[in-house]
Amino acid sequence: MKIFSGNANFLMAQEIAKHLEMTVSDAEVRKFSDGEIFVEIKENVRGTDAFIVQPTCTPVNDHLMELVIMADALRRASARRITAVLPYYGYARQDRKVAPRVPISAKVVAEMLMAVGVRRVLCMDLHAGQIQGFFNIPVDHLYAAPVLIKYIKENFENIIMVSPDAGGVERTRAFAKRLNCGLAIIDKRRDRPNQSEAMHVIGDVEDKIAIMLDDMVDTAGTLCNGAQTLLEHGAREVHACCTHPVLSGPAIERITGSGIKSLVVTNTIPLRDAARACEKIKVLSVSALLAEAIHRIHNEDSVSSLFV
């Protein structure tokens, strides 16, 4: 077994390798002066079980091409099996046609990965679970829930879990059930992409610590508007949890100036400097969970107990 990494989140790859008592294998991933990506595998991989740790986070296209080209390099070097470890799956929001003459880009990414020889995918908290069906190869879909739930149990009491929109109700209900607490939903109407307007709260948040849950935070408009709505409906405090801290555009400024007391995220995406400097943001590691999944996949053991 060998662990490889592109430039997207090398620190996570190192953490995963450390849990597996290994080191990240040697590969050169760089750009030519015109922006073309060049990959060279620096060690023998013939007959090996190769895992490429590469979340396709910003810059999404660069990191996606690094993953595709690295997979092709490993295939041509006779790796026995190539597994793409995608803690964050870019283009996941484009999982269906929402208007005429638009692409299903999540499917395009799946086709690209299969075309270059990826034979298994390990991912975490997909934006839409049906993306697994875009692949004709095995997909192991992990959840950050065990890590987030453990943190919530240890740090909060008298809580209510809040879904920031109707689409996240199932995810939030699962958290509420395991935390033995109530559930609330924010009715949100989106006028334009990356802009949202929270309308009202379904559920009783009066004098409770409200914890909003989402799979990703992009521009943070949904969370910040939701936090304001919850406070107006009598919530004592508002905190937020998410798996993927995309945090693009004005996200950090919005979070800093909002009523959110803390935002708990995982390390599927490395934080940019402004996010690391934000006192409200706390990062939890899911590297041990991914390492355990990689270990089981390599040993042909069951991974199902990790799908919690």
Side-chain angles (χ1 to χ4, degrees):
M1 175 170 64
K2 290 183 183 288
I3 305 291
F4 291 91
S5 176
N7 295 320
N9 197 345
F10 191 76
L11 183 59
M12 168 177 263
Q14 287 180 314
E15 289 181 12
I16 290 172
K18 185 176 180 182
H19 284 294
L20 294 168
E21 298 181 350
M22 301 170 58
T23 57
V24 178
S25 295
D26 191 11
E28 181 181 357
V29 184
R30 60 180 174 84
K31 287 183 181 180
F32 291 117
S33 59
D34 66 348
E36 281 187 16
I37 291 166
F38 172 79
V39 170
E40 183 180 359
I41 308 300
K42 295 284 194 176
E43 55 189 75
N44 180 28
V45 295
R46 186 177 297 274
T48 61
D49 199 3
F51 293 83
I52 310 171
V53 180
Q54 180 80 339
T56 48
C57 51
T58 185
V60 180
N61 298 331
D62 284 358
H63 290 152
L64 178 59
M65 283 304 297
E66 284 183 11
L67 173 60
V68 167
I69 295 172
M70 185 174 280
D72 185 69
L74 288 167
R75 177 170 61 94
R76 295 176 188 278
S78 300
R80 178 174 61 84
R81 179 177 63 180
I82 302 166
T83 301
V85 181
L86 289 158
Y88 171 69
Y89 187 94
Y91 287 101
R93 284 172 285 186
Q94 299 181 53
D95 63 313
R96 63 196 184 282
K97 288 189 70 170
V98 295
R101 299 175 296 280
V102 298
I104 304 179
S105 303
K107 170 67 171 171
V108 175
V109 172
E111 295 280 4
M112 288 172 64
L113 293 177
M114 290 187 291
V116 294
V118 171
R119 290 295 168 259
R120 193 177 196 101
V121 171
L122 174 61
C123 55
M124 177 165 282
D125 276 317
L126 287 171
H127 188 65
Q130 63 265 25
I131 290 173
Q132 296 170 79
F134 293 168
F135 290 91
N136 299 324
I137 55 177
V139 176
D140 294 308
H141 184 203
L142 302 182
Y143 299 90
V147 175
L148 294 173
I149 286 172
K150 181 174 183 287
Y151 177 84
I152 293 170
K153 280 182 177 178
E154 292 174 352
N155 290 275
F156 301 106
E157 294 180 350
N158 189 28
I159 64 171
I160 184 166
M161 293 302 300
V162 181
S163 175
D165 53 34
V169 173
E170 185 179 351
R171 181 188 308 108
T172 311
R173 184 188 291 119
F175 270 64
K177 183 177 180 181
R178 293 181 64 185
L179 290 164
N180 194 27
C181 67
L183 170 68
I185 304 164
I186 296 175
D187 176 32
K188 180 192 73 175
R189 298 183 185 178
R190 190 185 298 275
D191 297 324
R192 292 182 298 277
N194 291 335
Q195 294 190 16
S196 65
E197 182 180 1
M199 302 300 287
H200 62 272
V201 177
I202 303 167
D204 182 18
V205 298
E206 183 77 33
D207 201 36
K208 289 183 175 151
I209 295 176
I211 300 180
M212 288 190 291
L213 177 69
D214 215 340
D215 63 322
M216 70 173 72
V217 177
D218 190 355
T219 58
T222 296
L223 280 189
C224 294
N225 289 344
Q228 183 60 36
T229 302
L230 290 168
L231 291 170
E232 290 170 0
H233 282 73
R236 191 195 315 166
E237 291 180 5
V238 178
H239 300 263
C241 293
C242 83
T243 304
H244 308 301
V246 179
L247 300 175
S248 65
I252 303 303
E253 292 77 9
R254 284 175 174 173
I255 291 166
T256 302
S258 73
I260 297 173
K261 289 204 72 173
S262 70
L263 170 61
V264 179
V265 303
T266 74
N267 63 337
T268 57
I269 297 174
L271 297 182
R272 54 192 174 102
D273 292 342
R276 282 198 295 269
C278 180
E279 295 181 354
K280 291 186 177 184
I281 297 175
K282 177 177 177 59
V283 181
L284 305 179
S285 177
V286 291
S287 301
L289 188 60
L290 289 165
E292 178 63 22
I294 289 171
H295 176 73
R296 294 188 187 191
I297 290 168
H298 174 66
N299 290 331
E300 306 293 347
D301 293 333
S302 173
V303 189
S304 58
S305 64
L306 301 177
F307 301 157
V308 186

